[in-house]
Amino acid sequence: MNRILCAARAFPHLAATLAVVAVAGALSAVWPQAVPWVLGFYAGAMALRAAVAMVKELRSGTFGVDVLAVTAIGSTIAVGEFWAAAVIVLMLTGGEALEEYASGRARKDLTSLVSNAPRTAHLLTADGAVRDVAVADVEVGERVLVRAHEIVPLDGTLVSDAGVFDDSSLTGEPLPQERVAGDTVYSGAVNGAGAVSIEVARRAEDSQYQRIVALVEEAAASRAPMVRLADRYALPFTALALAIAGIAWWVSGDPLRFAQVLVVATPCPLIIGAPVAFMAGMSRAARRGAVIRSSATLEKLHRVATVAFDKTGTLTRGTPALVDVRPAGGLDADALVRLSAAAEQASVHVLADAIVRGATARGITLPVPQDVTETTAGGVTATVAGVRVVVGKRTFVAEQIGADVPAPGLAPGELAVHVATDGAYAGCLVLRDEVRADAAATVARLRAGGVGHVLMVTGDEEATARAVAEQVGIDDVRAGCLPADKVAAVRDVSGRPVVMVGDGVNDAPVLAAADVGIALAARGSSAATESADVVILPDEVGRVAETVEIGRHTVNVALQSIWIGIAVSVALMLVATTGALPAVVGAWLQEAVDVVAIAWALRAAGRAFRVSGLRGSMSDGGVPAPAPGPATSARTAA
């Protein structure tokens, strides 16, 4: 019962129509004289409601399917075919309910994005105490404390000697960044393992995170409205139906003939066929882990000409991985990894976690470290199986052993963690944000499916971005982009519609600005998922190509359903011109047309696509290493 009440509240016009039809059915047995009044009054009221909406659309330059429905309802009431009018109203309200259910809201509110903005700051008072205050109350020049692993609440200048920050959600840089006193720190960055103090440089409304929120709102508001698929066919179909009905009336001299023709010409296949296909397609995508938020998104996916990718966390994993071991002393590679990872077990640094994961992947058993000391933004010292081990950035290791440490040759996007054992340099471990195994196959699949332009838009440096682009087969690279630059790059693309694929806070504005924004939610930020039209739940970029294919298939099925409905309706109109179809019979025959259109539309819910082709031979990355080049980061080669 509760479900029925909820459905009635969600779709009140459909619920009211069903109630009126039920009441009229009951009255026909006990008070048949009242039935025309009940049905006529209600159908007239619904026709007036539709007419008001129709006039608004016409004044805005839009011609929709409601024109024919209003004409059909009005003509059947005028000739006294009240049950036929009720059937048309039922189909009209039912179609509206289906479309609303299939589409949902075109966009979710930005509530979650705004709520995820830092709201509280730890204000450092003049007497050295710490007091929690609202971020909006912090003034420029005041100092705030940012504890370990907290989000930086406001833009400012680092006061502490050094700190390590994760800027990946803001800039796309996947590796932690070391900053020293006097460096700028942006709101939205995540602090490292040690607490730091920051002198506020901008108020909350002017800080980086709030500027991103404003960009998302502006981008979402600037989108052009989407014309419904059915409305594109409404004008020619309406003109044809009115012409046939007018000719039938003129030839026969009977105004009833006009209503009989229009009853079978009601645009139920247009109103119902497309929404059912869209519901089926959205259900199909959901089974494959892609949540599509509106039917308009499916229509755009059907016509997509350009796909733009973020780099970090989208085409790459977004986290550093151990890719090479370079011993420089008497240790072999496994021994060097074993000692390094054992020492790093006690560290909370993101690079330490990558080294430990690399050792585990090699099947190396790690001993428990002793006498562990971690230096913020430097490295770790520990005793492992009687060996004194130093692991960290180049300058830190050189200071600990009192000798120079050679600079390694690194490719773009790589970093080195150096190791010393018992006072002597022992080598380095090379880490890199690896390209996803299915990234190259995804780009190839999109191109094979008709996408003419694929580009990369990233905040990362040019050399690293181009190295990744070469591996996945992308020629057009826009590097060093701030959030506003990404929005501008996507808006300037000539091939429309354009799809943008991303995952970080910095991607939220461009996801909102693109014709279709697709967010990878497995490791992405809530800001990105809130501003996206499609959310991919599995951590697989290959689902992007699959979602585009589902969009193309769904709209093709919807178009087929519309054309089948139109063809059958035209055939019935021609029969109705002879007077062989009473209005009520025609209305129920229109129900049969609806069943045919719906049955065909449900083909969009067919067997889901397979993505095995995106794995297999690509499981090892399937790409050569990029050319050598410099790279710097916290605890890396300096």
Side-chain angles (χ1 to χ4, degrees):
M1 187 64 181
N2 287 337
R3 289 184 178 180
I4 295 175
L5 292 175
C6 289
R9 284 194 292 267
F11 309 111
H13 296 116
L14 176 60
T17 302
L18 291 172
V20 169
V21 169
V23 169
L27 286 175
S28 63
V30 296
W31 190 14
Q33 297 86 348
V35 173
W37 291 98
V38 171
L39 293 180
F41 178 80
Y42 180 74
M46 294 303 293
L48 180 62
R49 166 184 165 269
V52 171
M54 176 190 71
V55 170
K56 289 181 179 178
E57 289 182 353
L58 290 173
R59 292 180 65 180
S60 65
T62 303
F63 189 96
V65 296
D66 294 337
V67 174
L68 190 55
V70 170
T71 306
I73 295 171
S75 62
T76 49
I77 292 175
V79 297
E81 296 287 350
F82 300 107
W83 276 108
V87 173
I88 298 170
V89 171
L90 180 61
M91 289 299 97
L92 182 64
T93 55
E96 290 174 351
L98 277 172
E99 187 169 27
E100 184 178 347
Y101 180 78
S103 301
R105 293 185 302 184
R107 309 202 57 77
K108 288 188 68 176
D109 293 334
L110 297 173
T111 304
S112 181
L113 173 58
V114 176
S115 66
N116 283 329
R119 293 183 174 276
T120 304
H122 310 305
L123 183 67
L124 291 169
T125 60
D127 57 2
V130 179
R131 179 165 54 92
D132 286 351
V133 299
V135 170
D137 295 335
V138 180
E139 299 294 337
V140 173
E142 292 184 316
R143 294 187 177 185
V144 296
L145 176 71
V146 183
R147 298 190 174 112
H149 308 301
E150 284 188 339
I151 296 176
V152 177
L154 302 110
D155 293 355
T157 303
L158 185 64
V159 176
S160 301
D161 293 337
V164 178
F165 299 89
D166 179 1
D167 295 339
S168 60
S169 65
L170 293 173
T171 65
E173 168 56 55
L175 304 174
Q177 301 297 300
E178 178 185 357
R179 291 186 174 85
V180 297
D183 287 348
T184 299
V185 180
Y186 292 106
S187 63
V190 180
N191 186 28
V196 296
S197 60
I198 293 174
E199 183 176 308
V200 175
R202 297 185 185 90
R203 289 182 54 81
E205 61 267 24
D206 300 320
S207 289
Q208 183 73 5
Y209 196 101
Q210 294 297 337
R211 289 170 63 191
I212 289 176
V213 171
L215 272 173
V216 172
E217 293 173 330
E218 179 186 348
S222 67
R223 275 187 171 182
M226 182 69 185
V227 178
R228 291 185 303 174
L229 182 66
D231 287 344
R232 299 175 200 166
Y233 300 89
L235 181 58
F237 183 66
T238 300
L240 177 63
L242 290 174
I244 294 175
I247 292 171
W249 183 3
W250 177 67
V251 171
S252 66
D254 185 359
L256 180 60
R257 199 68 53 85
F258 184 83
Q260 290 172 338
V261 172
L262 288 187
V263 163
V264 292
T266 53
C268 296
L270 298 180
I271 295 172
I272 294 178
V276 169
F278 289 148
M279 266 200 307
M282 293 162 77
S283 173
R284 182 178 193 169
R287 294 200 305 270
R288 298 298 302 154
V291 179
I292 299 175
R293 289 178 167 166
S294 74
S295 58
T297 297
L298 283 168
E299 294 190 49
K300 293 172 184 174
L301 288 173
H302 176 254
R303 300 180 290 110
V304 62
T306 301
V307 177
F309 287 95
D310 175 48
K311 180 184 75 69
T312 304
T314 303
L315 293 173
T316 67
R317 289 288 177 190
T319 55
L322 181 62
V323 296
D324 193 15
V325 181
R326 302 177 184 177
L331 296 175
D332 61 21
D334 282 353
L336 184 63
V337 173
R338 176 175 174 271
L339 292 174
S340 306
E344 293 280 35
Q345 286 181 101
S347 173
V348 295
H349 198 283
V350 64
L351 299 184
D353 180 63
I355 292 170
V356 172
R357 283 188 282 106
T360 302
R362 289 169 173 251
I364 297 173
T365 302
L366 302 179
V368 178
Q370 305 293 327
D371 304 323
V372 179
T373 302
E374 181 165 15
T375 302
T376 301
V380 171
T381 60
T383 300
V384 179
V387 178
R388 191 61 179 168
V389 180
V390 181
V391 185
K393 62 185 295 186
R394 182 183 169 200
T395 53
F396 175 77
V397 173
E399 179 184 335
Q400 294 294 314
I401 65 176
D404 289 337
V405 171
L410 297 174
E414 290 184 343
L415 59 83
V417 175
H418 297 268
V419 186
T421 57
D422 288 336
Y425 184 64
C428 68
L429 310 177
V430 179
L431 298 97
R432 182 176 65 227
D433 181 18
E434 288 193 297
V435 173
R436 290 178 181 267
D438 55 354
T442 298
V443 173
R445 186 173 174 181
L446 286 168
R447 287 200 170 106
V451 176
H453 185 197
V454 180
L455 69 152
M456 177 193 293
V457 184
T458 177
D460 212 346
E461 61 179 14
E462 181 83 16
T464 302
R466 290 205 173 275
V468 172
E470 289 176 5
Q471 295 178 59
V472 301
I474 294 177
D475 300 323
D476 189 354
V477 178
R478 319 287 175 88
C481 294
L482 295 174
D485 299 327
K486 290 187 174 184
V487 171
V490 165
R491 282 180 175 165
D492 290 342
V493 171
S494 58
R496 317 296 298 198
V498 58
V499 170
M500 176 67 200
V501 187
D503 73 308
V505 171
N506 65 317
D507 294 323
V510 70
L511 290 175
D515 296 309
V516 177
I518 299 181
L520 300 185
R523 68 172 298 277
S525 72
S526 59
T529 56
E530 280 301 313
S531 58
D533 302 288
V534 180
V535 179
I536 305 291
L537 301 179
D539 192 20
E540 299 176 16
V541 73
R543 300 298 175 101
V544 172
E546 184 179 4
T547 302
V548 171
E549 290 173 359
I550 290 175
R552 292 188 190 281
H553 175 72
T554 298
V555 176
N556 285 338
V557 170
L559 289 170
Q560 293 163 7
S561 176
I562 287 172
W563 279 111
I564 288 173
I566 288 176
V568 177
S569 292
V570 169
L572 290 176
M573 280 190 280
L574 295 176
V575 173
T577 60
T578 66
L581 287 180
V584 173
V585 174
W588 288 112
L589 280 176
Q590 187 60 231
E591 296 282 345
V593 177
D594 297 339
V595 170
V596 172
I598 290 171
W600 192 270
L602 288 173
R603 294 175 60 249
R607 182 176 61 87
F609 291 94
R610 296 179 61 187
V611 291
S612 57
L614 295 176
R615 299 170 186 160
S617 62
M618 296 301 294
S619 60
D620 60 352
V623 290
T632 59
S633 179
R635 294 180 58 177
T636 70

